[in-house]
Amino acid sequence: MMNFELKNFSPAQAATQQVGALAVLLGRDDVGSAFGTAAGLAALLDKARAAGDFHGKAGQILAAWGAEGAVAQRLWLVGVGRGEAANLRRAAAAAVQAARHTGTKELLLCLGRTPGAARLMAIVKGAAEAAYEYTTTKSAAALQKAQEEGAPRPRLERITLAFDGAHDAARAAAFAQAVAVARGAELAREWANRPANHATPTMLADAARQLARQHQSLKCEVLEPKDMERLGMGALLSVARGAHEPPRLVVLHYQGAGKGEAPVALVGKGITFDSGGISLKPAAGMEEMKYDMSGAASVLGVMQALAETAPAINVVGLMALSENMPGGSATHPGDVVTSMSGQTIEVINTDAEGRLVLCDALTYATRLTPAPRAVVDIATLTGACVIALGNVRAGLYSNDDALAAALLAAGEEALDAAWRMPLDDEYARQIKSRFADVGNTGGRPAGSVTAAKFLQRFVGEVPWAHLDIAGVAWNAWHGSKTKGATGRPVGLLMHWLLTQAGAMPAAASSAAKPTHKSEAKAAKAEKTDKAEKADAKAAKAKKQGKGKAAAK
């Protein structure tokens, strides 16, 4: 994990630091005066603007070699647009990517204004995402060869964030939390990226045990097949029947509040490889089914982040781990299995296995003592959700409006967005079965909704939410150049949990007032942009309405 530091430097002071690279984050309206006493850098920025080479657009980079007044070996001017959190995230990522490309060991990211907590967290998020590189299953020889051929092995070791302004308690807390969340997201990405033979249920269970050994606030239990049989987890066990790898149910307890305080339960789908079972998937793209444990990986990442931030809240993280493989003992389409809840399930399609492991884990979660105050499951559950929402937002289903609203708000503020989907009772008709209490699939129409309706049967009256992350868990659906796991929704979940615990700095809330005139300007511009777009949309709708009326 990248080392992060927070320091108090103005751009002029940052220019005097002995670092491998200095990236100064500048907005569209920033001029040479942003560099204060660094006359050479001030002149550089003004000339670049006058020549039209630097506009301050989010993510734009202008490299300046041998700039007067800059000690750093490399200097980059990086645009942040109007300074919105999303643009700061983009700018920080661009700077880190540039640093990695050049093999720089230390990068100093300097902001010429005092950021609020939300914007500070966005910078850390963008920098951490860009700094991550998967190397676990690459050979040392291959890494050495890549370095010799001009593609430097990532050597970035330290990122320092600096701005000229008071480092008050809220910003210090926001920075520490942002780093912890970034570390949690990286842990989730790392395990999701690993091939199935390097991330078996047993290996993930061992990783959870190791995490608990490292943090006193964590306790780990691992349920094996004999434990599942004793508890009557016939649905989860049915998924593992065709696999040689034994299933595991990992239960991680984070104790941040009193023992009698009701916990939040997080339940992650952990299919470490999904072949589809007897309902075999097509060969093309099947290698991506190693990512089908991204929900469980995100739970592991959240539990690490909780241990590092130590909020006053109790959380139980469950990871339902199994492979889904064909074989002589595999579950057949048409089989009927009995879940831990006692409900019988007709397995219409063995490739709808995620809901089978989740339903038993959800039942286990609802029976915790004390009973959970809320249960949230996280799963790469349906391709239908990808069709509905693409790779931008996770699908959110909930039986509780207050819980749904809190999760949606957390996603917006953490730049890890979700979208609430319907959960009407009429959709349950599609999963009726003639041979069991319920079928495990309702066909193609509203496939993501019927999957959620299936899960809802196993939570009773407990406030519950389901996050379908099939479109956002990894960057392959849309042909991304940055192929691999994203670590989502660790950011959303941590923002929600910290808010629930009263540990989120007030300035990190989107409702908080800007703490600096530059931020006030950015907030005003963002509000104006939204208003202008809304007016344009209304005008267009009105025009179209007149056209339709004329046609009639």
Side-chain angles (χ1 to χ4, degrees), residues 289-383:
M289 289 301 98
K290 67 177 184 177
Y291 295 117
D292 211 19
M293 42 68 71
S294 296
S298 69
V299 170
L300 188 66
V302 167
M303 300 308 287
Q304 174 180 283
L306 285 170
E308 293 185 4
T309 53
I313 190 172
N314 293 337
V315 180
V316 180
L318 291 92
M319 301 160 59
L321 306 170
S322 176
E323 287 187 342
N324 184 26
M325 299 291 289
S329 59
T331 296
H332 318 93
D335 283 359
V336 174
V337 299
T338 303
S339 68
M340 182 181 176
S341 70
Q343 298 180 70
T344 59
I345 304 165
E346 181 185 6
V347 182
I348 297 170
N349 188 325
T350 63
D351 194 23
E353 84 299 328
R355 62 204 75 182
L356 296 177
V357 301
L358 283 175
C359 72
D360 280 344
L362 285 169
T363 300
Y364 186 95
T366 62
R367 296 181 183 179
L368 290 169
T369 304
R373 65 184 190 183
V375 176
V376 180
D377 74 75
I378 310 100
T380 50
L381 204 62
T382 66

Side-chain angles (χ1 to χ4, degrees), residues 105-471:
K105 288 187 177 181
E106 183 175 1
L107 171 67
L108 176 57
L109 277 172
C110 184
L111 187 64
R113 63 189 69 180
T114 306
R119 288 170 171 79
L120 184 59
M121 296 172 83
I123 294 171
V124 174
K125 183 178 180 67
E129 288 171 345
Y132 171 77
E133 177 73 11
Y134 177 82
T135 60
T136 301
T137 50
K138 294 181 180 180
S139 69
L143 293 171
Q144 180 64 31
K145 183 178 180 181
Q147 187 174 4
E148 292 171 353
E149 291 177 351
R153 180 179 177 180
R155 294 189 296 122
L156 189 60
E157 298 171 357
R158 183 178 301 279
I159 299 173
T160 301
L161 274 63
F163 59 86
D164 189 14
H167 290 189
D168 58 22
R171 290 188 182 85
F175 177 75
Q177 288 174 358
V179 172
V181 173
R183 286 171 55 83
E186 180 171 315
L187 181 65
R189 293 176 76 181
E190 176 64 28
W191 277 103
N193 278 331
R194 292 185 182 186
N197 61 331
H198 289 263
T200 65
T202 300
M203 291 175 180
L204 274 162
D206 288 343
R209 288 192 182 100
Q210 178 64 25
L211 187 64
R213 284 193 287 268
Q214 293 170 353
H215 299 280
Q216 290 185 347
S217 58
L218 295 179
K219 183 179 71 173
C220 182
E221 303 174 60
V222 178
L223 277 63
E224 299 187 358
K226 60 182 181 180
D227 303 307
M228 299 176 198
E229 289 173 3
R230 176 175 52 82
L231 291 169
M233 293 184 169
L236 197 162
L237 288 168
S238 73
V239 175
R241 283 182 56 184
H244 293 296
E245 290 287 342
R248 297 285 186 268
L249 180 65
V250 174
V251 187
L252 274 167
H253 297 262
Y254 166 74
Q255 189 79 35
K259 290 185 177 180
E261 185 170 322
V264 169
L266 304 178
V267 182
K269 172 188 171 183
I271 302 298
T272 57
F273 188 79
D274 182 17
S275 69
I278 297 298
S279 305
L280 195 66
K281 291 178 179 290
M286 195 193 288
E287 76 282 357
E288 292 179 356
M289 289 301 98
K290 67 177 184 177
Y291 295 117
D292 211 19
M293 42 68 71
S294 296
S298 69
V299 170
L300 188 66
V302 167
M303 300 308 287
Q304 174 180 283
L306 285 170
E308 293 185 4
T309 53
I313 190 172
N314 293 337
V315 180
V316 180
L318 291 92
M319 301 160 59
L321 306 170
S322 176
E323 287 187 342
N324 184 26
M325 299 291 289
S329 59
T331 296
H332 318 93
D335 283 359
V336 174
V337 299
T338 303
S339 68
M340 182 181 176
S341 70
Q343 298 180 70
T344 59
I345 304 165
E346 181 185 6
V347 182
I348 297 170
N349 188 325
T350 63
D351 194 23
E353 84 299 328
R355 62 204 75 182
L356 296 177
V357 301
L358 283 175
C359 72
D360 280 344
L362 285 169
T363 300
Y364 186 95
T366 62
R367 296 181 183 179
L368 290 169
T369 304
R373 65 184 190 183
V375 176
V376 180
D377 74 75
I378 310 100
T380 50
L381 204 62
T382 66
C385 193
V386 185
I387 301 303
L389 298 175
N391 66 295
V392 178
R393 292 178 181 266
L396 170 65
Y397 297 86
S398 182
N399 63 1
D400 186 277
D401 290 341
L403 175 60
L407 288 167
L408 288 172
E412 294 296 331
E413 293 168 6
L415 304 180
D416 191 357
W419 189 261
R420 192 171 185 185
M421 301 285 280
L423 205 59
D424 305 62
D425 287 340
E426 286 81 0
Y427 287 109
R429 296 171 185 168
Q430 291 178 224
I431 52 174
K432 287 184 176 180
S433 169
R434 290 180 61 195
F435 307 106
D437 298 339
V438 65
N440 79 325
T441 180
R444 290 175 60 85
S448 181
V449 184
T450 55
K453 290 302 294 182
F454 177 91
L455 296 177
Q456 188 181 11
R457 296 175 61 98
F458 300 88
V459 295
E461 299 303 315
V462 176
W464 158 78
H466 160 58
L467 286 167
D468 192 331
I469 61 170

